[in-house]
Amino acid sequence: MSELNQKLIQIRSDEMGQEELLEQRKKELQEVSEELKAKLSERAEIEQKIQELQQQITLGRKRLEAGQSAYHREASRLESLQNLAERYDGYGNSIRRVMEQKKNNPGIIGVVADIIDVDKKFEVAVETALGGSIQNIVTDNEQTAKTMIEFLKKNRYGRATFLPMSSISPRGEFTPKEALKEPGVVGIASELVSVASQYQQITKFLLGRVLVVDNIDHAIAIGKKYRHSLRMVTTEGESLSPGGSMTGGAFRNNSNLLGRRREIEELETKVNQLKQNLTEMQNAVEENKNQRNRLRDAIAGFQEKLRQKYIEQNTARMNIKQQEKKAEEIRSGYAQINRDQAEIKRQV
C-alpha cells in the first residue's frame, strides 16, 4: 500500500508536470496561430490594395487616352488657326501680299483686326460696323502706305486701303448724345473695343460714329425717332445706315476675323491646360504602377514568412499531440494504481 502511494505521488507529480507542459504547448500554438492570422490578414489587405491600384491604373489609362485624344484634337485645331492667321486666310489677295512684306517693312503695323480686342458678345456687332474696313492695313505713316501701294501696282496684286497713323483723325464726336439713352442702346462701337493708346485715333475714325443696339426692333425705333440720321449695328449683325437702308441676314461663313486672335488665345490656354493634365495623369499612372509593384514584391516576401509560420504551427500541433499522448499514458497508470489500491484495501 505504501509502495502504491509512492507511485501515486510520483504519477501525480508527473501528471502536473505534463499538464503544465501541455498548457505551454497550447499557448505556443495559440501565439503562432494568431501571428499567422495577422500575417494572412495583412496579406489580404495588401492584395486588396493591389486590386484597387490596378483598377486605378486601368481607369487612369482610359482617362489618359481620352486626354491625349482631346489634346491632339485641340492642338491640331490651334495649329490650323495659327496657320490661317499667319497666312491671313480669309483676307483679300492684296492684303495677304502686303502682309507678306511685314517682316521686311517694320512700318506695316497690321490689319485692323490685329489691333482690336473686343468682348466675344460684341464681336459680330463690331465686325459688322467695320465692314470692309476690318481688312484695312494700318501703317506708321503715309510713306509706308505709298510704298505698299506702289508694290501692289507694280506686281498687279490688286488694291488695298491703308490707314497711316500719322494722318488719320476722328470724324468728330458722336451726335446726338441723347440717343445713347434710348432703350436697347449698348453704346458707341469705339468704346466697346480695347486697343493700345497709339491706335485710339484709328478706332474712333472707324467706329466713333456707330451706335450698337441690342436688337433690330430697337434700332428701327431709334432710326425713326432720329429721322434715319444714325448709323447703327445690332449685336446679331444687322446694320442700319443713315438714310434708312438696312442690311442683314445669315452670314455665308464663320470666318470671324475679329475673333480669330481671341480664339487662338483661348485655344492656347486650353491646349496648355490639357498638356498639364496629361502630364499629371501620366505621373499618377506611373506612381500607381510603382506602388503596385512594391506591394507585389511585399507579397512575394510574405510568402516565405507565411511558410515559416505554417511550419511553426504544425510543429506546435505535433508537440501538443505528443504531450497529450504522454498525459494519457500517465492517466492510464494512475487508473491502474487506483485499481491496485482498491484491491489491497479489499484484501485488508
Side-chain angles (χ1 to χ4, degrees), residues 129-294:
L130 287 171
S133 300
I134 197 170
Q135 299 196 30
N136 289 358
I137 300 170
V138 180
T139 62
D140 56 350
N141 53 45
E142 295 99 321
Q143 185 58 45
T144 301
K146 178 184 174 183
T147 301
M148 287 299 101
I149 289 172
E150 291 174 353
F151 167 76
L152 292 173
K153 287 170 65 177
K154 179 181 177 181
N155 295 282
R156 297 183 179 277
Y157 286 145
R159 299 168 65 83
T161 301
F162 295 88
L163 301 174
M165 292 173 57
S166 59
S167 61
I168 293 294
S169 60
R171 301 172 183 174
E173 295 294 328
F174 175 85
T175 54
K177 294 288 186 181
E178 57 271 19
L180 295 173
K181 299 179 181 180
E182 295 293 336
V185 172
V186 178
I188 301 171
S190 61
E191 296 177 357
L192 298 177
V193 301
S194 300
V195 294
S197 58
Q198 63 267 33
Y199 305 132
Q200 289 284 352
Q201 297 287 65
I202 291 176
T203 306
K204 289 182 179 179
F205 171 75
L206 296 172
L207 301 170
R209 298 180 63 82
V210 181
L211 194 66
V212 178
V213 185
D214 60 355
N215 60 56
I216 193 169
D217 293 327
H218 282 138
I220 291 172
I222 294 170
K224 288 180 179 179
K225 183 174 180 179
Y226 292 90
R227 301 180 180 277
H228 303 290
S229 61
L230 304 176
R231 183 167 178 228
M232 294 176 285
V233 295
T234 69
T235 54
E236 295 179 351
E238 291 88 11
S239 174
L240 286 81
S241 301
S245 64
M246 300 170 62
T247 304
F251 291 100
R252 286 197 303 175
N253 57 56
N254 294 319
S255 60
N256 193 12
L257 300 177
L258 200 57
R260 184 178 289 173
R261 184 171 60 177
R262 172 191 54 77
E263 193 173 357
I264 288 175
E265 290 174 355
E266 289 176 354
L267 273 175
E268 285 176 343
T269 302
K270 188 175 182 180
V271 167
N272 290 334
Q273 184 61 50
L274 287 170
K275 188 175 182 180
Q276 182 180 346
N277 292 344
L278 276 180
T279 302
E280 291 175 356
M281 285 189 285
Q282 286 172 339
N283 292 338
V285 169
E286 289 301 318
E287 176 57 29
N288 285 335
K289 282 183 180 178
N290 293 335
Q291 191 174 354
R292 179 199 61 186
N293 293 338
R294 287 195 296 268

Side-chain angles (χ1 to χ4, degrees), residues 17-29:
Q18 289 299 323
E19 286 178 353
E20 290 178 0
L21 196 55
L22 182 61
E23 286 299 320
Q24 184 179 345
R25 297 301 184 199
K26 287 182 177 180
K27 186 177 180 182
E28 290 173 359
L29 175 61

Side-chain angles (χ1 to χ4, degrees), residues 306-341:
L306 285 174
R307 189 180 68 82
Q308 187 63 36
K309 288 300 175 183
Y310 278 125
I311 292 174
E312 291 178 9
Q313 187 185 49
N314 291 334
T315 301
R317 284 173 177 165
M318 289 174 63
N319 290 337
I320 288 174
K321 286 182 179 179
Q322 290 176 357
Q323 294 305 130
E324 287 177 344
K325 186 177 180 182
K326 288 181 180 179
E328 183 62 30
E329 291 175 355
I330 290 171
R331 284 193 291 271
S332 297
Y334 185 65
Q336 183 60 45
I337 288 174
N338 284 336
R339 287 195 295 273
D340 290 346
Q341 273 187 329

Side-chain angles (χ1 to χ4, degrees), residues 5 47 84 100 121 128 151 172 219 235 248 303 318 328 330 332:
N5 285 334
E47 288 175 343
L84 289 175
E100 287 172 0
K121 61 185 177 181
T128 302
F151 167 76
T235 54
Q303 295 301 115
M318 289 174 63
E328 183 62 30
I330 290 171
S332 297

